[in-house]
Amino acid sequence: MLVSTAEGWRPDPNDSAQGDDRSDDLRAIHQVVNLLRNEFDMRAASYTGGTSKDDRIKLQEAVAQTEIDALVAMKCLDEGVDIPEVRTGIIMASTSNPRQFVQRRGRLLRQHRESGKVRATIYDMIVRPPVGTTMTSSEMHLVGNELSRAYELAEAADNPAARFESRQEAIDAGLDPESYAW
């Protein structure tokens, strides 16, 4: 499993130990690693900019050989990583950058004939305010882009009916689906 966490995510805004963006980002990655280990009894490891080249190779091999269950990163898994055996991905990082979105999906959608992998399961997390909440125009734009991305992912998936759920979410959020690239 590959897990992409969101850049700039602050797991606890009341944490007085927060420092610069890099240390906050590392703290967020480690919090996800600890959650996977403690709540789901998974063998998880962080994969950061500070991970040495040799350790990155070892971690990629460990995931491919199922010695560890999950790699957790922010951007380090977006390009230059080839682990076609990976079958599951959790994308906690919303991105409006189409290239980054395609790269994250591409890490997971590679076939691996030796193991019989011909498809992958992708969980793309979308966060939006509760139905009925008044949103600012920038929040509405962000939610619309998120739902548009979900629609695009669903359109190419084994469960294409999920794209209609994305459109309905947009309507429930007070958005005009016709103003987004569905």
Side-chain angles (χ1 to χ4, degrees):
M1 174 184 299
L2 300 180
V3 180
S4 295
T5 64
E7 300 168 49
W9 176 52
R10 302 299 176 254
D12 184 356
N14 300 317
D15 183 357
S16 61
Q18 288 187 11
D20 60 25
D21 287 345
R22 180 164 163 71
S23 66
D24 287 344
D25 288 345
L26 291 174
R27 185 177 290 110
I29 289 171
H30 292 300
Q31 187 172 16
V32 173
V33 168
N34 288 333
L35 174 80
L36 293 173
R37 287 178 180 166
N38 299 329
E39 299 294 323
F40 299 99
D41 199 28
M42 293 177 71
R43 298 164 295 173
S46 61
Y47 192 94
T48 70
T51 305
S52 72
K53 184 177 180 179
D54 289 342
D55 285 343
R56 286 180 182 216
I57 292 168
K58 289 176 187 173
L59 287 169
Q60 290 178 37
E61 289 172 355
V63 168
Q65 297 169 6
T66 66
E67 294 168 5
I68 62 174
D69 300 311
L71 287 181
V72 181
M74 281 193 181
K75 295 186 285 185
C76 294
L77 295 171
D78 287 356
E79 293 185 43
V81 174
D82 188 25
I83 317 170
E85 298 88 347
V86 173
R87 295 175 183 266
T88 305
I90 299 175
I91 302 174
M92 298 171 61
S94 62
T95 180
S96 58
N97 180 332
R99 181 176 175 208
Q100 197 173 41
F101 178 53
V102 168
Q103 288 291 333
R104 289 183 179 164
R105 287 189 313 189
R107 297 303 116 223
L108 300 159
L109 295 177
R110 293 182 177 158
Q111 294 185 0
H112 189 253
R113 301 217 187 275
E114 293 84 12
S115 68
K117 176 191 167 195
V118 294
R119 63 177 40 94
T121 302
I122 300 174
Y123 299 95
D124 187 4
M125 303 297 164
I126 296 176
V127 179
R128 72 170 187 83
V131 173
T133 301
T134 302
M135 292 186 282
T136 66
S137 61
S138 63
E139 289 170 330
M140 290 182 81
H141 182 73
L142 177 65
V143 169
N145 287 338
E146 291 280 287
L147 293 170
S148 180
R149 190 185 77 240
Y151 185 92
E152 178 185 337
L153 185 61
E155 197 168 42
D158 285 345
N159 59 338
R163 66 185 188 269
F164 298 112
E165 294 170 20
S166 297
R167 276 183 77 85
Q168 187 59 50
E169 286 282 332
I171 293 166
D172 292 346
L175 299 167
D176 174 13
E178 300 309 317
S179 62
Y180 293 91
W182 308 88

